Amino acid sequence: MKKQTLFLKAALLILALPVLALCLIGFPMLVMNMTKNGWELAGVMYGIVALLYGTALAYFMALYQALKLLNFIDDHSAFSYDSVIALKKIKWSAFTITGLYVISMPLLYIVAEYDDAPGIILIGLVLGATALVVGVFAAVLQQLLTNAIDMKNENDLTI
């Protein structure tokens, strides 16, 4: 079981690195470019960048909970209420990301109208919908795991 979880832990690291690079390099460069060029929609972009940082925070929280879930699998305690709590936190992180993208839609619309680039709105919709799908999937897994734990506990009490 360790080899499979090692691969998944490496995958989590690979998923975290691009977002970390955006947070440390990409978003500050975007803000510096807006300030330097005196862009008219700088206030709107500051709001979008703030929402992107909030999204990154929720994303990293979900990745940390996924790492904890993999550690529970390594410790042979996958069918525990700690795993249910980790899935619950992943679910709420995903729903938070969806909510942040819903909140950012008016700001993205303003930028899309100014730059005549409707693809910006589509990108926001796709990212928000993807997070929604992850949240629903985590909710289903949480419910299934809760039912499995309850049945396991019931079978343990029946002799």
Side-chain angles (χ1 to χ4, degrees), residues 1 6 9-10 13 17 26 35 48 62 68-69 102 106 119-120 138 148:
M1 190 63 79
L6 182 64
K9 288 176 185 179
L13 178 67
L17 289 178
T35 307
I48 290 173
K68 280 178 61 174
L69 201 55
V102 167
I120 293 173

PDB file of all heavy atoms in Angstrom, residues 1 6 9-10 13 17 26 35 48 62 68-69 102 106 119-120 138 148:
ATOM      1  N   MET A   1       0.824  -1.202   0.000  1.00  0.00           N
ATOM      2  CA  MET A   1       0.000   0.000   0.000  1.00  0.00           C
ATOM      3  C   MET A   1       0.867   1.263   0.000  1.00  0.00           C
ATOM      4  O   MET A   1       0.456   2.291  -0.480  1.00  0.00           O
ATOM      5  CB  MET A   1      -0.911  -0.020   1.230  1.00  0.00           C
ATOM      6  CG  MET A   1      -1.969   1.033   1.225  1.00  0.00           C
ATOM      7  SD  MET A   1      -3.166   0.933  -0.099  1.00  0.00           S
ATOM      8  CE  MET A   1      -4.222  -0.335   0.503  1.00  0.00           C
ATOM      9  N   LEU A   6       2.612   6.624  -2.032  1.00  0.00           N
ATOM     10  CA  LEU A   6       3.783   7.439  -2.344  1.00  0.00           C
ATOM     11  C   LEU A   6       3.596   8.131  -3.692  1.00  0.00           C
ATOM     12  O   LEU A   6       3.898   9.318  -3.838  1.00  0.00           O
ATOM     13  CB  LEU A   6       5.047   6.580  -2.343  1.00  0.00           C
ATOM     14  CG  LEU A   6       6.352   7.316  -2.620  1.00  0.00           C
ATOM     15  CD1 LEU A   6       6.623   8.321  -1.509  1.00  0.00           C
ATOM     16  CD2 LEU A   6       7.495   6.338  -2.753  1.00  0.00           C
ATOM     17  N   LYS A   9       1.075  10.872  -3.156  1.00  0.00           N
ATOM     18  CA  LYS A   9       1.678  12.005  -2.441  1.00  0.00           C
ATOM     19  C   LYS A   9       2.546  12.830  -3.381  1.00  0.00           C
ATOM     20  O   LYS A   9       2.542  14.073  -3.310  1.00  0.00           O
ATOM     21  CB  LYS A   9       2.493  11.501  -1.257  1.00  0.00           C
ATOM     22  CG  LYS A   9       1.645  10.987  -0.119  1.00  0.00           C
ATOM     23  CD  LYS A   9       2.501  10.423   0.984  1.00  0.00           C
ATOM     24  CE  LYS A   9       1.643   9.787   2.066  1.00  0.00           C
ATOM     25  NZ  LYS A   9       2.451   9.202   3.141  1.00  0.00           N
ATOM     26  N   ALA A  10       3.279  12.163  -4.264  1.00  0.00           N
ATOM     27  CA  ALA A  10       4.072  12.891  -5.258  1.00  0.00           C
ATOM     28  C   ALA A  10       3.160  13.666  -6.210  1.00  0.00           C
ATOM     29  O   ALA A  10       3.477  14.789  -6.599  1.00  0.00           O
ATOM     30  CB  ALA A  10       4.957  11.918  -6.033  1.00  0.00           C
ATOM     31  N   LEU A  13       2.130  16.829  -4.556  1.00  0.00           N
ATOM     32  CA  LEU A  13       3.218  17.800  -4.605  1.00  0.00           C
ATOM     33  C   LEU A  13       3.277  18.455  -5.984  1.00  0.00           C
ATOM     34  O   LEU A  13       3.425  19.677  -6.101  1.00  0.00           O
ATOM     35  CB  LEU A  13       4.548  17.130  -4.273  1.00  0.00           C
ATOM     36  CG  LEU A  13       5.777  18.023  -4.340  1.00  0.00           C
ATOM     37  CD1 LEU A  13       5.726  19.080  -3.242  1.00  0.00           C
ATOM     38  CD2 LEU A  13       7.039  17.199  -4.232  1.00  0.00           C
ATOM     39  N   LEU A  17       2.837  22.608  -6.724  1.00  0.00           N
ATOM     40  CA  LEU A  17       3.936  23.468  -7.178  1.00  0.00           C
ATOM     41  C   LEU A  17       3.513  24.579  -8.144  1.00  0.00           C
ATOM     42  O   LEU A  17       3.923  25.732  -7.956  1.00  0.00           O
ATOM     43  CB  LEU A  17       5.056  22.613  -7.773  1.00  0.00           C
ATOM     44  CG  LEU A  17       5.848  21.792  -6.752  1.00  0.00           C
ATOM     45  CD1 LEU A  17       6.896  20.943  -7.458  1.00  0.00           C
ATOM     46  CD2 LEU A  17       6.478  22.666  -5.706  1.00  0.00           C
ATOM     47  N   GLY A  26       3.681  34.769 -10.013  1.00  0.00           N
ATOM     48  CA  GLY A  26       2.733  35.222 -11.026  1.00  0.00           C
ATOM     49  C   GLY A  26       1.838  36.359 -10.583  1.00  0.00           C
ATOM     50  O   GLY A  26       1.736  37.393 -11.266  1.00  0.00           O
ATOM     51  N   THR A  35       0.195  48.237 -11.785  1.00  0.00           N
ATOM     52  CA  THR A  35       0.582  49.484 -11.139  1.00  0.00           C
ATOM     53  C   THR A  35       1.507  50.301 -12.034  1.00  0.00           C
ATOM     54  O   THR A  35       1.357  51.507 -12.159  1.00  0.00           O
ATOM     55  CB  THR A  35       1.277  49.174  -9.792  1.00  0.00           C
ATOM     56  OG1 THR A  35       0.434  48.321  -9.032  1.00  0.00           O
ATOM     57  CG2 THR A  35       1.526  50.434  -9.014  1.00  0.00           C
ATOM     58  N   ILE A  48      -9.747  40.715  -8.093  1.00  0.00           N
ATOM     59  CA  ILE A  48      -9.579  39.389  -8.691  1.00  0.00           C
ATOM     60  C   ILE A  48      -8.359  38.687  -8.100  1.00  0.00           C
ATOM     61  O   ILE A  48      -8.407  37.497  -7.780  1.00  0.00           O
ATOM     62  CB  ILE A  48      -9.484  39.503 -10.226  1.00  0.00           C
ATOM     63  CG1 ILE A  48     -10.844  39.896 -10.806  1.00  0.00           C
ATOM     64  CG2 ILE A  48      -9.003  38.196 -10.844  1.00  0.00           C
ATOM     65  CD1 ILE A  48     -10.827  40.193 -12.277  1.00  0.00           C
ATOM     66  N   ALA A  62      -7.260  21.913   0.922  1.00  0.00           N
ATOM     67  CA  ALA A  62      -7.779  20.646   0.388  1.00  0.00           C
ATOM     68  C   ALA A  62      -6.642  19.664   0.112  1.00  0.00           C
ATOM     69  O   ALA A  62      -6.766  18.465   0.391  1.00  0.00           O
ATOM     70  CB  ALA A  62      -8.584  20.898  -0.885  1.00  0.00           C
ATOM     71  N   LYS A  68      -3.392  14.122   4.452  1.00  0.00           N
ATOM     72  CA  LYS A  68      -3.770  13.457   5.708  1.00  0.00           C
ATOM     73  C   LYS A  68      -4.544  12.176   5.430  1.00  0.00           C
ATOM     74  O   LYS A  68      -4.326  11.158   6.096  1.00  0.00           O
ATOM     75  CB  LYS A  68      -4.620  14.403   6.574  1.00  0.00           C
ATOM     76  CG  LYS A  68      -3.817  15.420   7.325  1.00  0.00           C
ATOM     77  CD  LYS A  68      -4.675  16.369   8.130  1.00  0.00           C
ATOM     78  CE  LYS A  68      -5.497  15.694   9.171  1.00  0.00           C
ATOM     79  NZ  LYS A  68      -6.219  16.643  10.035  1.00  0.00           N
ATOM     80  N   LEU A  69      -5.411  12.214   4.443  1.00  0.00           N
ATOM     81  CA  LEU A  69      -6.188  11.026   4.067  1.00  0.00           C
ATOM     82  C   LEU A  69      -5.264   9.905   3.587  1.00  0.00           C
ATOM     83  O   LEU A  69      -5.462   8.741   3.952  1.00  0.00           O
ATOM     84  CB  LEU A  69      -7.203  11.403   2.992  1.00  0.00           C
ATOM     85  CG  LEU A  69      -8.408  10.530   2.771  1.00  0.00           C
ATOM     86  CD1 LEU A  69      -9.184  10.327   4.052  1.00  0.00           C
ATOM     87  CD2 LEU A  69      -9.292  11.143   1.717  1.00  0.00           C
ATOM     88  N   VAL A 102     -17.783  32.225  -8.082  1.00  0.00           N
ATOM     89  CA  VAL A 102     -19.097  32.838  -8.322  1.00  0.00           C
ATOM     90  C   VAL A 102     -19.049  34.319  -7.952  1.00  0.00           C
ATOM     91  O   VAL A 102     -19.574  35.172  -8.679  1.00  0.00           O
ATOM     92  CB  VAL A 102     -20.193  32.088  -7.527  1.00  0.00           C
ATOM     93  CG1 VAL A 102     -21.492  32.869  -7.504  1.00  0.00           C
ATOM     94  CG2 VAL A 102     -20.416  30.702  -8.110  1.00  0.00           C
ATOM     95  N   PRO A 106     -18.744  38.852 -11.582  1.00  0.00           N
ATOM     96  CA  PRO A 106     -18.945  40.237 -12.038  1.00  0.00           C
ATOM     97  C   PRO A 106     -17.626  40.948 -12.348  1.00  0.00           C
ATOM     98  O   PRO A 106     -17.541  41.720 -13.307  1.00  0.00           O
ATOM     99  CB  PRO A 106     -19.659  40.911 -10.861  1.00  0.00           C
ATOM    100  CG  PRO A 106     -20.282  39.806 -10.106  1.00  0.00           C
ATOM    101  CD  PRO A 106     -19.399  38.626 -10.282  1.00  0.00           C
ATOM    102  N   GLY A 119     -13.336  34.856 -23.214  1.00  0.00           N
ATOM    103  CA  GLY A 119     -12.754  33.613 -22.705  1.00  0.00           C
ATOM    104  C   GLY A 119     -12.432  33.672 -21.235  1.00  0.00           C
ATOM    105  O   GLY A 119     -12.368  32.639 -20.560  1.00  0.00           O
ATOM    106  N   ILE A 120     -12.241  34.871 -20.703  1.00  0.00           N
ATOM    107  CA  ILE A 120     -11.951  35.023 -19.275  1.00  0.00           C
ATOM    108  C   ILE A 120     -13.129  34.520 -18.447  1.00  0.00           C
ATOM    109  O   ILE A 120     -12.947  33.829 -17.440  1.00  0.00           O
ATOM    110  CB  ILE A 120     -11.626  36.498 -18.951  1.00  0.00           C
ATOM    111  CG1 ILE A 120     -10.314  36.908 -19.622  1.00  0.00           C
ATOM    112  CG2 ILE A 120     -11.540  36.716 -17.455  1.00  0.00           C
ATOM    113  CD1 ILE A 120      -9.985  38.369 -19.499  1.00  0.00           C
ATOM    114  N   ALA A 138     -16.569  14.653  -3.144  1.00  0.00           N
ATOM    115  CA  ALA A 138     -16.112  14.491  -1.766  1.00  0.00           C
ATOM    116  C   ALA A 138     -17.292  14.280  -0.824  1.00  0.00           C
ATOM    117  O   ALA A 138     -17.197  13.499   0.128  1.00  0.00           O
ATOM    118  CB  ALA A 138     -15.293  15.707  -1.336  1.00  0.00           C
ATOM    119  N   ALA A 148     -20.137   3.105   5.632  1.00  0.00           N
ATOM    120  CA  ALA A 148     -19.272   1.934   5.782  1.00  0.00           C
ATOM    121  C   ALA A 148     -18.760   1.802   7.213  1.00  0.00           C
ATOM    122  O   ALA A 148     -18.700   0.689   7.761  1.00  0.00           O
ATOM    123  CB  ALA A 148     -18.098   2.026   4.808  1.00  0.00           C
TER     124      ALA A 148
END
